[in-house]
Amino acid sequence: RVSCKSFIQLSGKFKGGNNMTPNKEDYIKAIYKLGGNHELVSNKSITNMLQISAASTTEMLNKLVAEEYVDYERYKGARLTEKGIKFAERLIRTHKIWEVFLVQSLGFLPEEVHAQAEVLEHASSPELIERLVEFLDDPTHCPHGEIIPILHE
């Protein structure tokens, strides 16, 4: 029997990166949501969004730079690399697909699904998500009306 924590740790292997963790994924997603796919995002903005310490933000940005998900300019902020943008879009897509599934197939209310999808996004292989997309007839919007990103490989 596999614990939930072990399953989530294994998810990094599903996504093609042995060093990927839910924590790193949350940073990448936060940078993307703050506009880091096209402009520099300050450490302070990331710190505030994730409600963590400035030191933790700096430490994680250094890791993400080393893994080529982020470019960092001292005193200016971070911007996602092409690799980081693709990863963030896949993660956001996965989250929104889970939200659609939870509402359409399991009867959750739209306001109930975010926390559930937040956990599931970290433990989903690309193959699982593509099967969900097929099962859900290729949805284009999540239950909150937001567009589900299309992946450009």
Side-chain angles (χ1 to χ4, degrees), residues 53-85:
S53 72
S56 295
T57 299
T58 300
E59 182 181 348
M60 182 59 78
L61 288 175
N62 287 332
K63 290 177 184 178
L64 294 174
V65 166
E67 294 176 24
E68 301 180 348
Y69 288 101
V70 170
D71 287 327
Y72 182 74
E73 293 184 35
R74 194 169 179 187
Y75 305 117
K76 293 184 179 181
R79 176 185 298 121
L80 293 172
T81 61
E82 192 62 35
K83 177 181 176 180
I85 291 169

Side-chain angles (χ1 to χ4, degrees), residues 3 6 8-9 12 16 31 36 41 45 47 61 69 82 91 93 98 104 109 114-115 120-122 124 134 147:
S3 71
S6 297
I8 288 172
Q9 288 172 338
I31 295 166
V41 175
S45 295
T47 297
L61 288 175
Y69 288 101
E82 192 62 35
L91 197 60
R93 176 178 173 79
W98 275 119
Q104 287 185 6
L109 297 174
H114 180 75
L120 292 165
E121 77 186 31
H122 297 297
S124 303
E134 290 173 22
I147 293 173

Side-chain angles (χ1 to χ4, degrees), residues 136-152:
L136 297 167
D137 198 25
D138 200 13
T140 58
H141 291 76
C142 76
H144 307 101
E146 297 173 6
I147 293 173
I148 297 172
I150 296 170
L151 300 179
H152 306 285

Side-chain angles (χ1 to χ4, degrees), residues 65-136:
V65 166
E67 294 176 24
E68 301 180 348
Y69 288 101
V70 170
D71 287 327
Y72 182 74
E73 293 184 35
R74 194 169 179 187
Y75 305 117
K76 293 184 179 181
R79 176 185 298 121
L80 293 172
T81 61
E82 192 62 35
K83 177 181 176 180
I85 291 169
K86 287 179 181 179
F87 191 88
E89 288 174 347
R90 179 177 298 280
L91 197 60
I92 292 165
R93 176 178 173 79
T94 296
H95 182 99
K96 292 178 185 300
I97 294 296
W98 275 119
E99 288 182 336
V100 172
F101 176 78
L102 292 168
V103 169
Q104 287 185 6
S105 301
L106 299 183
F108 280 83
L109 297 174
E111 57 272 11
E112 297 175 316
V113 297
H114 180 75
Q116 299 293 331
E118 189 68 31
V119 173
L120 292 165
E121 77 186 31
H122 297 297
S124 303
S125 69
E127 295 81 13
L128 173 60
I129 296 308
E130 288 315 305
R131 291 218 183 171
L132 276 175
V133 167
E134 290 173 22
F135 177 77
L136 297 167

